[in-house]
Amino acid sequence: MSVVVIVYNDEHRLPDAVRSVLGQTLRNVEVVIADDHSTDGSFEVARRLAAGSDRVRAVRLPENSGGCGEPRNQGVALARGRYVMFLDSDDTLERNACRNMLEAAETTGADLVSGLCLRVHVDSRWGTTSPWYPWLYRRTRTLESIAELPDLLVFDTLSTNKCYRRSWLLEKGLTFPRGIHYEDLLFSARAYLAASRITLIPNTVYHWNVVRKAEARSISNRRHEINNFADRVEIHRRIDRILAAEGLHELRLHKDRKFLKHDLVLYLRELPFLDDDYRRRFAETAGGYIRDFPEEAYEELSPVHRLCAYLLLREDWDHLMPAVDTLINKNKVSSPLVERDGRVYWCAEHLDDPLGRTVLDVTDLGLHHRPVSRLHLRNAVTAYSESPEGVRLAGEIVNPLGAVPPDARLTAELEFRARRRSLRSFRFPVRTVRHQGSSIAWEAEAPLARRLRPVGVLDDVWDVRLHLDVNGERTVSRLTAGRTDLASGGVVRVRPLLSRLAADRLRPRVSAHGHLAFHLVQHGPLPRRTSALLRHHMQSPPARITKRALRGALALRADLGSGRRKIDAYHRMIRLLPVRRGTVVFESHLGKQYSDSPRALYEELRRRNVPVRAVWAYQGSPEGFPRDAELVRRWSWRYLRELAQAEFWIDNQGFPLKLAKRPETTYIQTWHGSALKRMGFDVPDLRVVPEPERRLHERAVDRFDHFVVRGRHDELTLARAFRIPEGKLLRTGYPRNDALVRARERGTSGPAARELAERLGVRRDLPVVLYAPTFRTADGGGVKSFAFPFDVEEFAKRFGDRLTLLVRTHYLNGVTLPPSVAGQVIDAGGEDDITPVLLLSDVLVTDYSSVMFDYALLGRPMVFFTYDWDDYVHNGRGTYFDLSKEAPGPVVHTSEALFEVLSDLDRLDRYRPRVERFMTRYGEYDRGDAAARIVDRFFGAEGEAG
């Protein structure tokens, strides 16, 4: 193996890079140092390293090449190894990198082997690291073509985390381009396309050392230079020509999307801080490239990415700059927005352009639904001035769609808060707050000299926030400065607690996110020298020891609160602490809801006045949980103690996998639904996970003392999939379904449904159709964002005067409805408990959701909209039975077929016998008394704790 180490003016870090190669566990490795005509002592250092080891050689280019490409080319020409790797002088190799790369190359015969790169933030106090696109490297795999994994070409464009067969590089003529930056992008693309076999390994091979606070920006970070962007675009054009020549149009589409989502965004982030000449030249260069991108390139972009690209092409700076603010600051609302024909748009301009009307449509962001307290509003500084006493500020807060009504009571405060955590903050009243067109204008004076007392040195950065109170609701915003004139900065005087030797002035700055901040500085040569002396002593050996001790204490505190420590402490608790008789810990959907069978059991216990101590676990917000129960935050120390000492655990999904259960605790697992799709150890992915992970799942399931089932189907599917023994099965039916059984028997939906209809504004004179789909898994794992598989506005047009559509997505999803369907289509996703939603509806439309098994208990009609059946069944985890044959209602695959079925609900009556058979087959144990039977068995008669 030959490792080519390139260097330019980096004499201090070069030895560490070379040592990382010489220290490889694979001994047969040489180092070729290629010096790009450094002006410091780098080449002398290289020569000393070569003199000290016969495995190191050094070469110096006759003149500086201006980039990383030519030194690497020279290194490859001199290399003697069968394989070549590249290393930058400021980075290092993981000590097993060469061995792992070589083994993979020799085993698979790959031309190119790629491993995981780890970004190491070397100036981070906490040793922060982040893997580079880790989803590409989850397992070892060999590709016969880059077309099998387009994301590799699109995202991992590094040349340094790879090993290349040298003879192949020479045969294919693979060299780095000269005289242009971003050479990695082109070289990697050519290598990927030329390779007959590519192997990926899950091992970390490369440590990319990142210094965020460096005085000089690296080449790739000089995004304020227009030639930097021009080079990037030129490299992409060259890659495009290669892809076009080989007819790889699908790969080109993937690359175009990545350019819009990543490359372009890197430069858009800088635009608010740059002058008009740069913006003009940037728009000209960018527009000349992306104007010809196909419309498909925009399809997978977020709404904000799309509108930024569009507004850039139109050179609409007035609307682009707020859009970039939202791009930089996720979830910030930067535009007043407009509503047209029931849709929400970023601005009123360009709506006559069909493409503009599509791109500027931001309805799906759901901004029109949010209350003021959940809106993060753009707050632009419009005036700034200083005096020795403090600052005068004025600004405008955007008011999207009139979220702040004209008659609202408005008050506000300015807050100056030290950026370092747990330090102090100071607040000043805002003198004037008023409506001003589509914004809220404000003016304030902050007497910082008298009121703000920083510590000094420790709190040298102060952020500014405005707290706006609207009729008792509060929204907090940062102050967007952009290109605000702060030239007078440095006049405001302060008196730090460490005296004026630490600092004596506040100077305004604009943060990387475009927000106003203040830095403590010294004014005048003598104070600056004194401050420098103070800071020098802060770096002295005693100070370093003190800071190291403090960081050690903070690290220890963080470690004590870590998951590993909590798990260890929990297991000590179950050995040392006694069981608290009568304590029951309830949890539903991992603490996210007060719902389901745990709720039904809790309410049965309360109805009977059984003297148990009920503890509910919550995750996120405790809102909606019962007030008479004790609440504990999931994974808090108290949560662990309650679980350790509880007599009963009751949940519907699973308490944390790594927490063992003591024998004296009874775990009643109510589960959250019968199964159509395969579950537990029947899921193909779980069969191939590493043995330790599989054993962890097995131990977690073994904790169940009792497992509730609602029919023979559950015994043959869920119970077998989770390997639940016969003796642990509770054949009672689901407690949550008692209300459904009773509603069918009584022929009425009951007060819960009436109360829900009133709260949601559902008309009771129209049939209610409930749409309740399950979630979809994203390609890279995780949960795919919900999108309607039919046109919800078309539904409202067709059926708005005949039906009401309730939408209840899976609890892992959320939904955004356009204003045009208000009153006709209603989001019921905010309801923790689905039972009243089922009771309120007259017809269910679902796909593969287990809600079908529960809804059958009502005896009401169902429609199955399986628009992606083949993909879901064959590319997903599979199903236990063929829904198309057993569905107790029509199965449709297109939105038009769905609308046709809903146009005549009376025709669904013919499916009533099938609904009855389905209910009998899959819910035979649901008799309406599940909660009572479980409480009788485990907690005794009324008033007795079991």
Side-chain angles (χ1 to χ4, degrees):
M1 183 80 71
S2 294
V3 179
V4 176
V5 181
I6 63 168
V7 62
Y8 176 72
N9 287 356
D10 197 17
E11 58 183 313
H12 299 297
R13 290 182 292 190
L14 175 60
D16 286 339
V18 172
R19 278 194 291 269
S20 77
V21 181
L22 297 179
Q24 289 288 300
T25 53
L26 180 69
R27 305 308 298 169
N28 193 13
V29 179
E30 72 162 354
V31 181
V32 178
I33 303 174
D35 177 74
D36 198 12
H37 204 85
S38 295
T39 58
D40 68 353
S42 293
F43 188 58
E44 286 71 23
V45 171
R47 292 174 67 180
R48 285 199 299 271
L49 291 168
S53 173
D54 60 1
R55 292 198 286 147
V56 179
R57 290 181 294 150
V59 61
R60 188 179 194 223
L61 273 66
E63 60 183 9
N64 181 255
S65 68
C68 300
E70 187 57 22
R72 289 178 182 151
N73 292 338
Q74 295 297 322
V76 172
L78 290 173
R80 295 175 297 200
R82 284 188 294 124
Y83 298 93
V84 177
M85 291 181 66
F86 301 113
L87 174 63
D88 293 347
S89 61
D90 53 348
D91 299 330
T92 56
L93 293 183
E94 195 276 335
R95 69 186 305 266
N96 295 300
C98 292
R99 178 180 296 278
N100 289 332
M101 291 284 207
L102 178 66
E103 182 179 342
E106 295 285 85
T107 302
T108 65
D111 297 318
L112 184 159
V113 177
S114 189
L116 183 64
C117 172
L118 190 68
R119 286 166 59 92
V120 181
H121 302 280
V122 295
D123 52 356
S124 165
R125 289 189 182 91
W126 313 111
T128 306
T129 62
S130 55
W132 184 252
Y133 299 114
W135 81 84
L136 297 171
Y137 297 98
R138 287 186 180 140
R139 58 185 175 86
T140 299
R141 53 180 162 174
T142 297
L143 312 173
E144 302 298 329
S145 165
I146 189 62
E148 295 177 32
L149 187 62
D151 278 357
L152 188 60
L153 177 141
V154 169
F155 291 101
D156 188 1
T157 56
L158 300 178
S159 64
T160 48
N161 60 333
K162 298 173 177 63
C163 160
Y164 312 87
R165 193 182 301 275
R166 184 172 178 272
S167 60
W168 168 76
L169 287 177
L170 299 176
E171 176 193 342
K172 298 295 183 180
L174 292 174
T175 59
F176 288 88
R178 300 168 177 83
I180 190 170
H181 299 316
Y182 302 107
E183 64 287 323
D184 267 20
L185 274 68
L186 181 58
F187 178 84
S188 295
R190 293 181 63 206
Y192 284 140
L193 293 168
S196 59
R197 184 168 294 170
I198 302 167
T199 296
L200 309 182
I201 60 174
N203 311 80
T204 298
V205 299
Y206 196 87
H207 291 157
W208 178 0
N209 296 321
V210 181
V211 182
R212 290 186 173 180
K213 300 174 184 176
E215 292 183 10
R217 294 191 184 189
S218 66
I219 291 172
S220 60
N221 285 326
R222 295 175 193 162
R223 291 188 282 272
H224 60 296
E225 300 174 1
I226 193 63
N227 289 338
N228 182 283
F229 181 63
D231 278 358
R232 187 184 285 263
V233 170
E234 174 57 27
I235 287 291
H236 275 273
R237 288 187 185 277
R238 294 185 189 185
I239 297 172
D240 294 342
R241 288 195 289 270
I242 295 171
L243 295 174
E246 300 197 22
L248 299 171
H249 305 298
E250 192 64 29
L251 277 177
R252 165 72 192 271
L253 181 60
H254 280 280
K255 192 191 70 66
D256 288 349
R257 286 173 178 157
K258 191 257 189 176
F259 184 89
L260 292 171
K261 286 199 294 189
H262 176 72
D263 300 63
L264 185 64
V265 170
L266 291 175
Y267 295 85
L268 287 174
R269 293 169 64 95
E270 304 286 332
L271 284 185
F273 317 116
L274 299 171
D275 59 34
D276 291 335
D277 180 61
Y278 179 95
R279 292 180 182 180
R280 179 186 57 77
R281 295 170 67 192
F282 176 77
E284 181 180 338
T285 304
Y289 182 53
I290 69 174
R291 186 169 282 112
D292 296 329
F293 279 18
E295 286 191 27
E296 298 95 309
Y298 293 84
E299 288 177 357
E300 294 185 9
L301 301 185
S302 73
V304 178
H305 282 89
R306 282 200 305 269
L307 66 91
C308 281
Y310 178 82
L311 293 170
L312 176 65
L313 286 172
R314 302 298 294 254
E315 296 191 45
D316 183 347
W317 304 109
D318 289 340
H319 295 105
L320 174 59
M321 288 303 100
V324 171
D325 196 4
T326 295
L327 193 67
I328 297 172
N329 301 282
K330 189 177 179 182
N331 297 323
K332 182 186 281 191
V333 186
S334 300
S335 169
L337 309 178
V338 294
E339 185 180 335
R340 295 283 189 275
D341 304 321
R343 305 292 295 179
V344 177
Y345 297 92
W346 186 256
C347 57
E349 287 74 14
H350 315 300
L351 298 185
D352 55 341
D353 174 16
L355 178 60
R357 197 172 186 89
T358 299
V359 169
L360 297 173
D361 188 334
V362 292
T363 309
D364 291 344
L365 294 180
L367 303 176
H368 52 288
H369 284 316
R370 297 185 196 169
V372 169
S373 59
R374 290 183 53 219
L375 287 171
H376 304 286
L377 303 175
R378 174 179 167 90
N379 187 351
V381 176
T382 56
Y384 176 89
S385 62
E386 293 181 357
S387 71
E389 296 302 311
V391 296
R392 293 185 182 88
L393 286 161
E396 291 184 3
I397 304 172
V398 72
N399 186 16
L401 300 175
V404 179
D407 58 348
R409 298 187 314 276
L410 303 178
T411 59
E413 288 181 311
L414 271 181
E415 179 192 32
F416 287 71
R417 180 188 298 175
R419 185 171 292 179
R420 288 192 179 174
R421 247 182 257 173
S422 304
L423 295 179
R424 300 185 303 164
S425 69
F426 299 85
R427 296 197 181 194
F428 305 90
V430 172
R431 182 179 61 203
T432 305
V433 191
R434 66 183 185 279
H435 271 81
Q436 182 173 289
S438 60
S439 62
I440 307 299
W442 59 271
E443 299 171 6
E445 292 185 13
L448 302 177
R450 287 187 286 110
R451 293 275 311 282
L452 190 143
R453 295 296 306 279
V455 176
V457 181
L458 297 176
D459 50 358
D460 55 346
V461 183
W462 290 75
D463 294 313
V464 190
R465 294 170 173 81
L466 187 135
H467 296 251
L468 176 66
D469 191 283
V470 182
N471 291 333
E473 277 192 278
R474 174 158 292 198
T475 180
V476 181
S477 56
R478 300 285 295 272
L479 307 190
T480 298
R483 290 194 294 170
T484 304
D485 183 11
L486 305 174
S488 62
V491 177
V492 182
R493 296 180 181 141
V494 290
R495 287 188 305 140
L497 298 177
L498 290 180
S499 86
R500 287 196 171 98
L501 294 176
D504 67 346
R505 302 293 169 99
L506 277 177
R507 180 166 292 160
R509 291 284 186 271
V510 180
S511 74
H513 286 259
H515 297 137
L516 180 64
F518 288 86
H519 287 225
L520 287 174
V521 296
Q522 275 290 359
H523 181 72
L526 182 60
R528 279 202 294 270
R529 284 198 294 271
T530 307
S531 177
L533 183 62
L534 178 62
R535 292 178 185 276
H536 172 73
H537 284 298
M538 290 293 290
Q539 299 300 323
S540 66
R544 285 200 297 269
I545 291 171
T546 302
K547 287 191 287 186
R548 193 158 50 241
L550 176 60
R551 288 171 186 163
L554 293 173
L556 177 61
R557 186 177 73 171
D559 182 57
L560 290 174
S562 67
R564 180 178 59 83
R565 289 287 186 182
K566 285 184 172 181
I567 292 169
D568 291 343
Y570 167 82
H571 289 108
R572 286 196 296 273
M573 289 180 197
I574 62 176
R575 291 195 304 269
L576 301 174
L577 297 179
V579 170
R580 298 177 68 175
R581 297 295 175 188
T583 296
V584 187
V585 178
F586 292 91
E587 190 172 286
S588 179
H589 292 302
L590 309 178
K592 295 176 182 176
Q593 295 180 353
Y594 170 58
S595 65
D596 214 81
S597 292
R599 173 176 179 165
L601 288 172
Y602 168 80
E603 292 178 352
E604 179 69 11
L605 289 168
R606 282 291 175 261
R607 186 186 67 78
R608 296 192 187 193
N609 293 318
V610 176
V612 297
R613 177 174 166 267
V615 177
W616 270 92
Y618 73 90
Q619 181 173 297
S621 170
E623 186 178 348
F625 284 82
R627 294 185 178 181
D628 60 342
E630 295 184 46
L631 303 183
V632 294
R633 183 169 48 83
R634 203 169 193 263
W635 273 112
S636 66
W637 282 106
R638 190 179 159 215
Y639 171 80
L640 298 173
R641 193 188 72 199
E642 295 292 356
L643 284 178
Q645 293 191 269
E647 184 180 7
F648 290 94
W649 291 0
I650 298 177
D651 88 322
N652 67 346
Q653 192 157 343
F655 287 102
L657 291 179
K658 294 185 179 180
L659 301 184
K661 182 189 69 68
R662 67 195 304 162
E664 303 95 321
T665 299
T666 300
Y667 188 170
I668 303 173
Q669 172 57 254
T670 65
W671 204 241
H672 53 273
S674 297
L676 167 64
K677 49 186 175 284
R678 294 188 179 276
M679 303 291 289
F681 296 102
D682 288 346
V683 177
D685 287 350
L686 200 54
R687 297 176 188 166
V688 296
V689 298
E691 185 62 27
E693 186 177 341
R694 188 160 60 251
R695 284 200 301 268
L696 178 63
H697 283 276
E698 289 171 352
R699 286 196 299 268
V701 170
D702 287 344
R703 297 175 303 175
F704 302 161
D705 294 298
H706 303 282
F707 189 85
V708 176
V709 293
R710 53 194 305 265
R712 181 65 177 159
H713 172 71
D714 286 0
E715 296 178 28
L716 297 175
T717 56
L718 286 173
R720 284 188 179 178
F722 290 123
R723 301 171 184 172
I724 308 294
E726 176 82 11
K728 289 187 177 183
L729 299 181
L730 285 179
R731 296 177 174 87
T732 60
Y734 286 163
R736 72 178 186 200
N737 287 340
D738 290 348
L740 303 180
V741 175
R742 289 194 293 267
R744 185 185 77 245
E745 292 173 348
R746 296 170 183 170
T748 176
S749 294
R754 290 194 296 272
E755 188 274 332
L756 177 63
E758 184 176 341
R759 188 168 69 253
L760 296 181
V762 177
R763 291 178 55 177
R764 298 301 288 134
D765 59 329
L766 297 179
V768 176
V769 176
L770 171 62
Y771 179 51
T774 191
F775 69 93
R776 300 300 193 274
T777 302
D779 291 339
V783 177
K784 185 184 293 186
S785 297
F786 173 77
F788 278 102
F790 58 89
D791 189 335
V792 69
E793 291 178 289
E794 178 65 21
F795 176 94
K797 287 178 185 176
R798 288 203 194 187
F799 302 108
D801 58 345
R802 292 188 285 159
L803 303 172
T804 298
L805 182 67
L806 277 185
V807 180
R808 168 71 181 215
T809 56
H810 191 276
Y811 76 93
L812 294 174
N813 285 134
V815 64
T816 297
L817 298 174
S820 59
V821 302
Q824 301 164 313
V825 182
I826 297 172
D827 178 16
E831 302 299 313
D832 271 359
D833 196 0
I834 195 175
T835 299
V837 181
L838 300 179
L839 291 169
L840 178 60
S841 62
D842 300 291
V843 178
L844 171 69
V845 176
T846 188
D847 43 23
Y848 322 102
S849 171
S850 65
V851 72
M852 69 178 77
F853 300 103
D854 305 312
Y855 197 78
L857 297 172
L858 290 169
R860 299 174 188 174
M862 288 182 272
V863 180
F864 296 85
F865 183 30
T866 57
Y867 58 92
D868 58 351
W869 172 259
D870 288 338
D871 180 64
Y872 191 88
V873 172
H874 301 300
N875 298 328
R877 59 171 96 160
T879 61
Y880 284 114
F881 60 85
D882 188 341
L883 181 64
S884 62
K885 295 179 180 178
E886 295 198 33
V891 178
V892 295
H893 306 293
T894 66
S895 55
E896 190 56 44
L898 173 65
F899 290 168
E900 176 65 24
V901 170
L902 296 179
S903 65
D904 186 0
L905 298 182
D906 291 338
R907 286 187 299 179
L908 295 175
D909 283 344
R910 68 175 184 267
Y911 290 94
R912 193 176 299 277
R914 295 184 65 172
V915 173
E916 291 287 338
R917 289 196 299 272
F918 193 84
M919 176 184 66
T920 302
R921 178 172 183 178
Y922 295 106
E924 59 191 295
Y925 302 152
D926 281 313
R927 305 186 187 104
D929 60 353
R933 293 170 65 190
I934 292 173
V935 169
D936 283 343
R937 174 168 175 176
F938 295 102
F939 299 95
E942 185 174 338
E944 290 181 22

